[in-house]
Amino acid sequence: VPPGLYEFDEVDAPEGATIEPNPLLLTAESSTGTTVDVYVTNPYRDLHGKLAIQKVQAGTPSSGTEYTMRVAGPVTFTVAVAVGTTWTSDWLPLGTYTVTETLIPTGWDLTAINCTDPTNNSSGVIGTGVATYNVGPGENVSCTFVDTKRGSVTVVKDAVPDNPQDFTFTTTVPA
C-alpha cells in the first residue's frame, strides 16, 4: 500500500449492530514489507444487550396459551409470550430489568424461574414471580418461567348396600 491517508466506509453490519456513519481514517506510512491489521469496535454492542423470556408449562400444557410479561427497567413495556416459545428483545440499553409474570391461569402455579447470564448475575424469585435481568454490554440474558399444573383428587364413596345417602368429607392440605 503506498503511503498516504486512507478512508474506510463500513458497508455491512451483523444483526443488532449499526453501521458506523462516519468513515474511518487511517494513515499509512512508508514501511517496506509491513502488514497492518485494522480492528474496528462497534460501540453499539458496548452500550446495549438483549433479554429473552421463555415460557414453559410442566404437566399437560395448555395449547395456545399466552402469558403477559411486564418488563421494567431503562425501557418499560409488556410482551405476550406463548407457551413453549422464547421471546427475545431487540438491543436494549444496558441496566437492570425486572420481568414479571402478570397473570397465571387458574389451576397453575409458578414453580421455577431459571436464568442464564454470561456474568451469572441475573436470577428469579418464585414467590414474587419476578426475574431480575442484569444486562451487560453485548449480553443476551435469558430466563425461563415454568408453571406446573395443580393436581386434583376426586373421592367416590360407594355405599353397601346401595343406598342413596350423603357423606361429608373434610380435606387437609399439607403446607
Side-chain angles (χ1 to χ4, degrees), residues 17-18 49 53 67 70 77 82 109 122 125 129 149 151 170:
T18 56
I53 304 167
Y67 286 76
R70 183 174 192 287
F77 54 93
D109 294 308
S122 297
V125 177
K149 189 172 179 88
T170 60

Side-chain angles (χ1 to χ4, degrees), residues 51-58 67 69 81-88 99-101 104 109-117 122-126 129-133 140-148:
L51 62 85
I53 304 167
Q54 182 176 23
K55 187 65 214 164
V56 174
Q57 285 183 332
Y67 286 76
M69 311 297 267
V81 182
V83 171
T85 66
T86 301
W87 175 88
T88 303
V99 175
T100 306
E101 186 172 81
I104 300 173
D109 294 308
L110 178 64
T111 54
I113 302 174
N114 303 308
C115 297
T116 304
D117 180 341
S122 297
S123 62
V125 177
I126 296 169
V130 175
T132 301
Y133 292 67
N140 187 352
V141 181
S142 177
C143 291
T144 302
F145 290 73
V146 180
D147 289 351
T148 302

